Amino acid sequence: MSIAIKHLVVIGTGLIGGSVALALKRAGCVERVTGVGRSVENLEEAVRLGVIDDFNHDIATAVVDADMVLIAVPVAACDQVFAALAESLSETAIITDAGSTKQSVMISAEKHLKYVSRFVPAHPIAGTEHSGVGAAFAELFEDKKCILTPNEQTDAKALAQVQSMWQAVGARVKIMSAVEHDDVLAAVSHLPHLAAFAIVNAVGKSDDAFRFAAGGFRDFTRIASSSPEMWRDIALCNQQSIVDKIDALQEELTILRDALNAHDGGVLLDKFASAKQARDTWMSKYGDKL
Ligand code: NAP
Protein backbone atom coordinates (compact mmCIF):
# COMPACT_ATOMS: atom_id res chain seq x y z
CA MET A 1 0.00 0.00 0.00
CA SER A 2 1.46 3.41 -0.91
CA ILE A 3 0.86 6.43 1.28
CA ALA A 4 -0.34 9.93 0.40
CA ILE A 5 0.10 12.48 3.18
CA LYS A 6 -1.47 15.91 2.72
CA HIS A 7 0.08 17.66 5.72
CA LEU A 8 2.94 16.13 7.69
CA VAL A 9 4.02 17.90 10.87
CA VAL A 10 7.53 16.99 12.05
CA ILE A 11 8.08 17.86 15.71
CA GLY A 12 11.86 17.83 16.09
CA THR A 13 13.32 18.74 12.72
CA GLY A 14 16.76 17.22 13.21
CA LEU A 15 18.68 14.31 11.71
CA ILE A 16 15.81 11.81 11.92
CA GLY A 17 12.79 14.10 11.44
CA GLY A 18 14.56 15.93 8.59
CA SER A 19 15.58 12.68 6.87
CA VAL A 20 12.01 11.31 7.00
CA ALA A 21 10.70 14.56 5.48
CA LEU A 22 13.32 14.51 2.71
CA ALA A 23 12.69 10.86 1.88
CA LEU A 24 8.89 11.30 1.78
CA LYS A 25 9.25 14.35 -0.46
CA ARG A 26 11.61 12.47 -2.76
CA ALA A 27 9.12 9.59 -2.98
CA GLY A 28 6.31 12.06 -3.81
CA CYS A 29 4.28 10.89 -0.81
CA VAL A 30 3.69 14.23 0.93
CA GLU A 31 2.16 17.55 -0.17
CA ARG A 32 3.23 19.85 2.66
CA VAL A 33 5.68 19.49 5.57
CA THR A 34 5.62 21.78 8.61
CA GLY A 35 8.60 21.70 10.97
CA VAL A 36 8.42 22.36 14.71
CA GLY A 37 11.39 23.00 17.00
CA ARG A 38 12.85 25.42 19.49
CA SER A 39 15.60 27.19 17.56
CA VAL A 40 14.65 29.43 14.65
CA GLU A 41 18.10 28.96 13.04
CA ASN A 42 17.59 25.19 12.66
CA LEU A 43 14.09 25.67 11.22
CA GLU A 44 15.22 28.38 8.79
CA GLU A 45 17.99 26.05 7.63
CA ALA A 46 15.37 23.30 7.19
CA VAL A 47 13.36 25.58 4.85
CA ARG A 48 16.51 26.58 2.98
CA LEU A 49 17.47 22.92 2.48
CA GLY A 50 13.98 22.07 1.20
CA VAL A 51 13.34 19.72 4.13
CA ILE A 52 10.20 21.56 5.29
CA ASP A 53 7.85 24.02 3.58
CA ASP A 54 7.11 26.14 6.65
CA PHE A 55 7.58 26.11 10.41
CA ASN A 56 5.80 26.91 13.61
CA HIS A 57 7.16 27.11 17.17
CA ASP A 58 3.79 26.32 18.69
CA ILE A 59 3.02 22.59 18.70
CA ALA A 60 -0.72 23.06 19.38
CA THR A 61 -1.38 25.29 16.37
CA ALA A 62 1.06 23.42 14.09
CA VAL A 63 -0.85 20.11 14.29
CA VAL A 64 -4.43 21.42 13.85
CA ASP A 65 -4.90 20.25 10.23
CA ALA A 66 -2.18 17.57 10.15
CA ASP A 67 -3.08 14.14 8.83
CA MET A 68 0.28 12.69 9.99
CA VAL A 69 2.45 13.83 12.90
CA LEU A 70 6.00 12.56 13.43
CA ILE A 71 7.59 13.17 16.83
CA ALA A 72 11.39 13.11 16.53
CA VAL A 73 12.61 14.92 19.65
CA PRO A 74 14.87 13.44 22.37
CA VAL A 75 12.76 10.81 24.18
CA ALA A 76 12.39 12.61 27.52
CA ALA A 77 10.82 15.58 25.66
CA CYS A 78 8.04 13.37 24.21
CA ASP A 79 5.86 13.74 27.31
CA GLN A 80 5.64 17.52 26.95
CA VAL A 81 5.08 17.17 23.19
CA PHE A 82 2.10 14.80 23.67
CA ALA A 83 0.68 17.15 26.31
CA ALA A 84 1.02 20.14 23.97
CA LEU A 85 -0.65 18.53 20.95
CA ALA A 86 -3.38 16.47 22.66
CA GLU A 87 -6.17 19.05 22.50
CA SER A 88 -5.51 20.21 18.91
CA LEU A 89 -5.18 16.95 17.00
CA SER A 90 -8.05 16.05 14.71
CA GLU A 91 -9.71 12.72 15.43
CA THR A 92 -8.44 11.34 12.12
CA ALA A 93 -4.80 12.36 12.51
CA ILE A 94 -2.21 9.59 12.85
CA ILE A 95 0.83 9.99 15.09
CA THR A 96 4.12 8.13 15.01
CA ASP A 97 7.52 8.78 16.56
CA ALA A 98 11.16 7.83 16.10
CA GLY A 99 12.26 7.53 19.72
CA SER A 100 15.02 5.12 20.67
CA THR A 101 13.06 3.86 23.70
CA LYS A 102 9.50 2.64 23.36
CA GLN A 103 7.92 1.90 26.75
CA SER A 104 8.53 5.42 28.08
CA VAL A 105 7.08 7.05 24.95
CA MET A 106 4.00 4.80 25.02
CA ILE A 107 3.34 5.65 28.68
CA SER A 108 3.38 9.37 27.78
CA ALA A 109 1.07 8.83 24.80
CA GLU A 110 -1.36 6.89 26.98
CA LYS A 111 -1.31 9.65 29.60
CA HIS A 112 -2.09 12.53 27.24
CA LEU A 113 -3.76 11.40 23.99
CA LYS A 114 -7.53 11.22 23.54
CA TYR A 115 -7.13 8.91 20.51
CA VAL A 116 -4.17 6.87 21.68
CA SER A 117 -5.18 4.04 19.31
CA ARG A 118 -3.98 6.28 16.46
CA PHE A 119 -0.46 6.52 17.90
CA VAL A 120 1.84 3.95 16.31
CA PRO A 121 5.23 3.85 18.09
CA ALA A 122 8.28 3.45 15.84
CA HIS A 123 12.06 3.33 16.04
CA PRO A 124 14.11 3.45 12.83
CA ILE A 125 17.34 1.51 13.33
CA ALA A 126 19.36 4.00 11.34
CA GLY A 127 21.28 7.08 12.26
CA THR A 128 24.64 8.74 12.52
CA GLU A 129 26.58 10.48 15.28
CA HIS A 130 25.59 13.87 13.79
CA SER A 131 22.63 16.02 14.90
CA GLY A 132 20.45 18.78 13.49
CA VAL A 133 18.74 19.25 10.15
CA GLY A 134 22.05 19.92 8.37
CA ALA A 135 22.92 16.24 8.93
CA ALA A 136 19.65 14.95 7.41
CA PHE A 137 19.66 13.02 4.13
CA ALA A 138 16.94 11.23 2.16
CA GLU A 139 18.77 7.88 1.91
CA LEU A 140 19.23 7.41 5.68
CA PHE A 141 16.57 4.70 6.04
CA GLU A 142 17.17 2.80 2.80
CA ASP A 143 17.16 -0.93 3.50
CA LYS A 144 17.43 -0.28 7.26
CA LYS A 145 15.07 -1.80 9.81
CA CYS A 146 12.30 0.22 11.44
CA ILE A 147 10.72 -1.41 14.49
CA LEU A 148 7.05 -0.72 15.25
CA THR A 149 5.72 -1.57 18.72
CA PRO A 150 1.90 -1.46 18.50
CA ASN A 151 -0.15 -2.89 21.36
CA GLU A 152 -3.68 -4.33 21.61
CA GLN A 153 -5.20 -0.81 21.50
CA THR A 154 -3.49 0.21 18.25
CA ASP A 155 -5.89 0.92 15.39
CA ALA A 156 -5.24 -1.47 12.48
CA LYS A 157 -5.65 1.24 9.81
CA ALA A 158 -3.27 3.60 11.63
CA LEU A 159 -0.75 0.77 11.90
CA ALA A 160 -1.03 0.06 8.17
CA GLN A 161 -0.57 3.77 7.31
CA VAL A 162 2.49 4.14 9.54
CA GLN A 163 3.97 0.93 8.17
CA SER A 164 3.49 2.35 4.64
CA MET A 165 5.12 5.63 5.64
CA TRP A 166 8.26 3.93 6.94
CA GLN A 167 8.34 1.65 3.88
CA ALA A 168 8.04 4.73 1.64
CA VAL A 169 11.27 6.12 3.15
CA GLY A 170 12.97 2.81 2.30
CA ALA A 171 12.83 0.99 5.65
CA ARG A 172 12.13 -2.71 6.29
CA VAL A 173 9.42 -2.74 8.96
CA LYS A 174 9.56 -5.24 11.86
CA ILE A 175 6.95 -5.53 14.59
CA MET A 176 7.68 -6.47 18.22
CA SER A 177 6.51 -5.58 21.71
CA ALA A 178 7.85 -2.46 23.43
CA VAL A 179 9.26 -4.60 26.26
CA GLU A 180 11.24 -6.76 23.84
CA HIS A 181 12.37 -3.68 21.89
CA ASP A 182 13.75 -1.93 24.98
CA ASP A 183 15.58 -5.05 26.14
CA VAL A 184 17.16 -5.85 22.76
CA LEU A 185 18.11 -2.23 22.02
CA ALA A 186 19.64 -1.86 25.49
CA ALA A 187 22.02 -4.69 24.51
CA VAL A 188 22.96 -3.79 20.93
CA SER A 189 22.72 0.01 21.00
CA HIS A 190 22.40 1.61 24.44
CA LEU A 191 25.17 -0.41 26.16
CA PRO A 192 27.70 0.18 23.33
CA HIS A 193 27.01 3.94 23.46
CA LEU A 194 27.53 4.10 27.23
CA ALA A 195 30.67 1.96 26.90
CA ALA A 196 32.03 4.30 24.20
CA PHE A 197 31.38 7.37 26.39
CA ALA A 198 33.11 5.61 29.32
CA ILE A 199 36.15 4.50 27.28
CA VAL A 200 36.70 8.02 25.91
CA ASN A 201 36.44 9.50 29.41
CA ALA A 202 38.80 6.86 30.86
CA VAL A 203 41.39 7.35 28.11
CA GLY A 204 40.96 11.14 28.24
CA LYS A 205 42.25 11.23 31.82
CA SER A 206 45.73 11.05 30.35
CA ASP A 207 46.22 14.01 27.97
CA ASP A 208 48.94 12.31 25.95
CA ALA A 209 47.10 9.11 25.08
CA PHE A 210 44.87 10.64 22.37
CA ARG A 211 47.96 11.67 20.37
CA PHE A 212 48.71 8.01 19.69
CA ALA A 213 45.15 6.79 19.07
CA ALA A 214 44.56 5.44 15.56
CA GLY A 215 41.88 3.77 13.42
CA GLY A 216 40.84 1.17 15.98
CA PHE A 217 40.17 3.82 18.61
CA ARG A 218 38.34 5.99 16.05
CA ASP A 219 36.09 3.10 14.95
CA PHE A 220 35.37 1.96 18.50
CA THR A 221 34.52 5.46 19.76
CA ARG A 222 32.67 6.98 16.77
CA ILE A 223 29.36 6.86 18.62
CA ALA A 224 30.80 8.81 21.58
CA SER A 225 30.41 11.88 19.32
CA SER A 226 26.60 11.47 19.45
CA SER A 227 24.33 14.10 21.01
CA PRO A 228 24.79 14.10 24.83
CA GLU A 229 21.22 15.41 25.34
CA MET A 230 19.74 12.62 23.25
CA TRP A 231 21.78 9.94 25.07
CA ARG A 232 21.01 11.31 28.53
CA ASP A 233 17.32 10.89 27.66
CA ILE A 234 17.72 7.38 26.23
CA ALA A 235 19.70 6.25 29.29
CA LEU A 236 17.13 7.60 31.76
CA CYS A 237 14.14 6.32 29.78
CA ASN A 238 15.48 2.74 29.52
CA GLN A 239 17.25 2.74 32.86
CA GLN A 240 16.58 -0.78 34.19
CA SER A 241 17.37 -2.63 30.95
CA ILE A 242 20.61 -0.67 30.55
CA VAL A 243 21.65 -1.28 34.17
CA ASP A 244 21.16 -5.04 33.54
CA LYS A 245 23.40 -4.90 30.45
CA ILE A 246 26.06 -2.87 32.32
CA ASP A 247 26.07 -5.61 34.99
CA ALA A 248 26.65 -8.23 32.28
CA LEU A 249 29.51 -6.18 30.80
CA GLN A 250 31.05 -5.71 34.23
CA GLU A 251 30.97 -9.49 34.75
CA GLU A 252 32.86 -9.98 31.49
CA LEU A 253 35.41 -7.30 32.38
CA THR A 254 35.92 -8.87 35.81
CA ILE A 255 36.68 -12.23 34.16
CA LEU A 256 39.30 -10.55 31.94
CA ARG A 257 40.76 -8.59 34.87
CA ASP A 258 41.02 -11.71 37.03
CA ALA A 259 42.63 -13.64 34.16
CA LEU A 260 45.20 -10.88 33.68
CA ASN A 261 46.02 -10.75 37.38
CA ALA A 262 46.45 -14.55 37.36
CA HIS A 263 48.43 -14.51 34.07
CA ASP A 264 45.86 -16.99 32.76
CA GLY A 265 46.31 -16.94 28.97
CA GLY A 266 43.86 -19.82 28.55
CA VAL A 267 40.91 -17.81 29.85
CA LEU A 268 41.91 -14.82 27.71
CA LEU A 269 42.19 -16.99 24.60
CA ASP A 270 38.78 -18.60 25.24
CA LYS A 271 37.08 -15.24 25.78
CA PHE A 272 38.71 -13.58 22.74
CA ALA A 273 38.00 -16.61 20.51
CA SER A 274 34.32 -16.85 21.48
CA ALA A 275 33.86 -13.10 20.88
CA LYS A 276 35.60 -13.32 17.50
CA GLN A 277 33.47 -16.28 16.45
CA ALA A 278 30.22 -14.57 17.52
CA ARG A 279 31.11 -11.33 15.72
CA ASP A 280 32.35 -13.06 12.56
CA THR A 281 29.14 -15.10 12.38
CA TRP A 282 26.99 -11.98 12.89
CA MET A 283 28.94 -10.07 10.20
CA SER A 284 28.70 -12.88 7.65
CA LYS A 285 24.95 -13.17 8.25
CA TYR A 286 23.98 -9.49 8.53
CA GLY A 287 27.06 -7.42 7.59
CA ASP A 288 25.83 -6.47 4.12
CA LYS A 289 22.49 -5.27 5.54
CA LEU A 290 23.89 -2.81 8.12
P1 NAP B 1 18.55 15.76 16.59
O1 NAP B 1 19.23 15.77 15.28
O2 NAP B 1 19.21 16.42 17.76
O3 NAP B 1 17.11 16.39 16.39
C1 NAP B 1 16.22 16.57 17.45
C2 NAP B 1 15.39 17.78 17.12
O4 NAP B 1 14.43 17.96 18.14
C3 NAP B 1 16.21 19.04 17.03
O5 NAP B 1 15.96 19.63 15.78
C4 NAP B 1 15.71 19.91 18.18
O6 NAP B 1 15.69 21.23 17.69
C5 NAP B 1 14.33 19.34 18.44
N1 NAP B 1 13.89 19.41 19.82
C6 NAP B 1 14.56 19.04 20.93
N2 NAP B 1 13.79 19.17 22.00
C7 NAP B 1 12.61 19.65 21.57
C8 NAP B 1 11.39 20.00 22.21
N3 NAP B 1 11.26 19.91 23.52
N4 NAP B 1 10.37 20.45 21.45
C9 NAP B 1 10.50 20.56 20.11
N5 NAP B 1 11.63 20.24 19.44
C10 NAP B 1 12.66 19.80 20.18
O7 NAP B 1 18.21 14.27 17.06
P2 NAP B 1 17.87 13.01 16.16
O8 NAP B 1 19.11 12.23 15.98
O9 NAP B 1 17.09 13.43 14.98
O10 NAP B 1 16.95 12.19 17.18
C11 NAP B 1 15.56 12.40 17.25
C12 NAP B 1 14.90 11.19 17.88
O11 NAP B 1 15.19 10.04 17.09
C13 NAP B 1 15.36 10.88 19.30
O12 NAP B 1 14.27 10.46 20.06
C14 NAP B 1 16.34 9.73 19.11
O13 NAP B 1 16.35 8.90 20.26
C15 NAP B 1 15.76 9.03 17.90
N6 NAP B 1 16.73 8.29 17.07
C16 NAP B 1 17.97 8.81 16.82
C17 NAP B 1 18.86 8.08 16.04
C18 NAP B 1 20.25 8.61 15.74
O14 NAP B 1 21.13 7.83 15.38
N7 NAP B 1 20.50 9.90 15.85
C19 NAP B 1 18.47 6.86 15.48
C20 NAP B 1 17.18 6.40 15.71
C21 NAP B 1 16.32 7.11 16.52
P3 NAP B 1 15.82 22.46 18.66
O15 NAP B 1 16.96 22.13 19.58
O16 NAP B 1 16.04 23.61 17.79
O17 NAP B 1 14.51 22.48 19.33
Side-chain angles (χ1 to χ4, degrees):
M1 183 174 87
S2 67
I3 184 150
I5 302 169
K6 278 192 177 4
H7 185 199
L8 169 71
V9 175
V10 178
I11 303 173
T13 317
L15 167 70
I16 300 293
S19 296
V20 171
L22 280 174
L24 286 173
K25 282 186 167 212
R26 192 182 60 167
C29 294
V30 63
E31 282 177 27
R32 174 184 164 208
V33 182
T34 297
V36 180
R38 296 167 304 184
S39 90
V40 73
E41 294 79 17
N42 188 61
L43 292 167
E44 281 175 352
E45 190 183 359
V47 173
R48 205 169 50 249
L49 294 170
V51 174
I52 58 175
D53 301 299
D54 50 69
F55 61 82
N56 190 333
H57 292 294
D58 182 51
I59 294 173
T61 54
V63 301
V64 166
D65 66 352
D67 50 344
M68 179 72 80
V69 176
L70 169 66
I71 302 173
V73 298
V75 281
C78 287
D79 194 75
Q80 72 189 62
V81 169
F82 283 121
L85 58 71
E87 291 304 318
S88 319
L89 270 185
S90 86
E91 60 187 71
T92 54
I94 294 172
I95 316 170
T96 186
D97 77 314
S100 304
T101 65
K102 295 277 52 96
Q103 291 175 91
S104 67
V105 175
M106 290 169 81
I107 288 168
S108 292
E110 180 82 38
K111 188 164 86 184
H112 296 292
L113 294 182
K114 271 190 276 186
Y115 311 108
V116 71
S117 62
R118 303 181 70 79
F119 170 57
V120 183
H123 176 203
I125 311 296
T128 73
E129 68 277 28
H130 304 297
S131 302
V133 75
F137 56 103
E139 299 78 18
L140 178 61
F141 307 105
E142 263 170 30
D143 214 22
K144 301 291 191 299
K145 291 190 189 74
C146 179
I147 299 173
L148 305 187
T149 62
N151 62 16
E152 52 293 335
Q153 293 188 68
T154 311
D155 177 84
K157 279 193 191 145
L159 175 59
Q161 288 280 303
V162 168
Q163 180 157 349
S164 298
M165 187 191 89
W166 287 105
Q167 285 167 340
V169 303
R172 289 179 282 124
V173 170
K174 307 277 171 197
I175 294 185
M176 61 170 68
S177 74
V179 171
E180 188 186 359
H181 169 279
D182 287 358
D183 184 60
V184 169
L185 270 293
V188 296
S189 173
H190 308 168
L191 179 70
H193 277 81
L194 266 65
F197 290 130
I199 295 267
V200 172
N201 283 334
V203 172
K205 285 185 177 145
S206 142
D207 283 347
D208 265 1
F210 283 134
R211 286 198 296 137
F212 299 99
F217 187 78
R218 180 198 58 207
D219 294 349
F220 187 84
T221 60
R222 177 183 64 79
I223 52 181
S225 291
S226 303
S227 159
E229 184 188 20
M230 184 175 99
W231 278 97
R232 174 205 58 200
D233 284 11
I234 293 169
L236 293 175
C237 289
N238 199 19
Q239 180 235 5
Q240 192 51 56
S241 297
I242 299 175
V243 167
D244 292 346
K245 307 306 172 200
I246 289 176
D247 288 346
L249 176 62
Q250 269 173 341
E251 265 175 45
E252 286 295 319
L253 286 173
T254 301
I255 293 170
L256 297 182
R257 191 174 186 277
D258 290 349
L260 281 171
N261 280 332
H263 262 267
D264 189 339
V267 170
L268 295 178
L269 202 57
D270 281 353
K271 282 291 171 189
F272 298 165
S274 67
K276 175 175 165 48
Q277 193 194 8
R279 186 175 188 280
D280 289 351
T281 305
W282 166 65
M283 280 299 285
S284 66
K285 243 172 140 178
Y286 301 106
D288 59 345
K289 298 191 185 82
L290 299 176

